[in-house]
Amino acid sequence: MNLKQELQQLNDKLDKFRRKLDAAEKRGDQGVILQFKQEIATLTKRIANVKGQQTRQLNKKGADVRSLPFNRALTKAEQADMGKLKASIKGLVVVHPMTALGREMGITKVTGFAPKSF
């Protein structure tokens, strides 16, 4: 299971436990309230751990892409025929500014990174 799926499942469980906690508080069931508060605390800690792991992976991928010796913004024509561009340039990595990697790298235009100039 990848981190994105795990994070989604953890958030679903957290939502479920919060709803059950609300119901237990309405009933006044102290034992169940304490149990769900502990569950929520452990899930919150696990979610923070998974998010940190995602951030580390994204930073590593960004560093790998940045280490490629050549980069430049892609023209609209190149963006329109991305398949042809990728086929002609071996090792090309295209980063869009609206993706997580693009936001992390701080790019503002669709940029191509490659081992040699293109």
Side-chain angles (χ1 to χ4, degrees):
M1 175 171 31
N2 66 23
L3 292 177
K4 190 174 182 179
Q5 290 172 332
E6 184 177 356
L7 186 60
Q8 182 63 44
Q9 284 183 345
L10 290 172
N11 280 322
D12 290 345
K13 280 185 183 179
L14 182 63
D15 185 48
K16 179 176 150 185
F17 286 154
R18 283 184 177 152
R19 282 186 273 118
K20 287 186 177 187
L21 175 64
D22 288 341
E25 285 175 342
K26 286 180 183 174
R27 288 192 315 265
D29 192 350
Q30 291 301 322
V32 175
I33 290 173
L34 183 61
Q35 175 190 355
F36 282 123
K37 283 186 178 182
Q38 289 173 347
E39 291 287 339
I40 289 171
T42 58
L43 274 178
T44 305
K45 192 183 281 188
R46 179 70 182 133
I47 288 171
N49 185 14
V50 170
K51 283 183 180 179
Q53 212 172 352
Q54 273 185 325
T55 303
R56 282 191 301 278
Q57 282 184 353
L58 197 58
N59 288 338
K60 183 176 183 263
K61 188 172 183 178
D64 290 345
V65 170
R66 272 201 189 104
S67 70
L68 292 171
F70 186 78
N71 66 51
R72 71 170 173 86
L74 300 180
T75 64
K76 293 289 182 184
E78 289 171 330
Q79 291 177 40
D81 200 359
M82 194 68 70
K84 179 182 170 189
L85 181 66
K86 284 187 174 184
S88 66
I89 301 161
K90 188 169 180 112
L92 176 69
V93 178
V94 177
V95 181
H96 193 281
M98 297 304 289
T99 62
L101 181 60
R103 287 191 305 268
E104 188 271 326
M105 293 175 69
I107 62 172
T108 56
K109 295 182 180 178
V110 178
T111 307
F113 294 85
K116 60 181 180 177
S117 64
F118 61 96

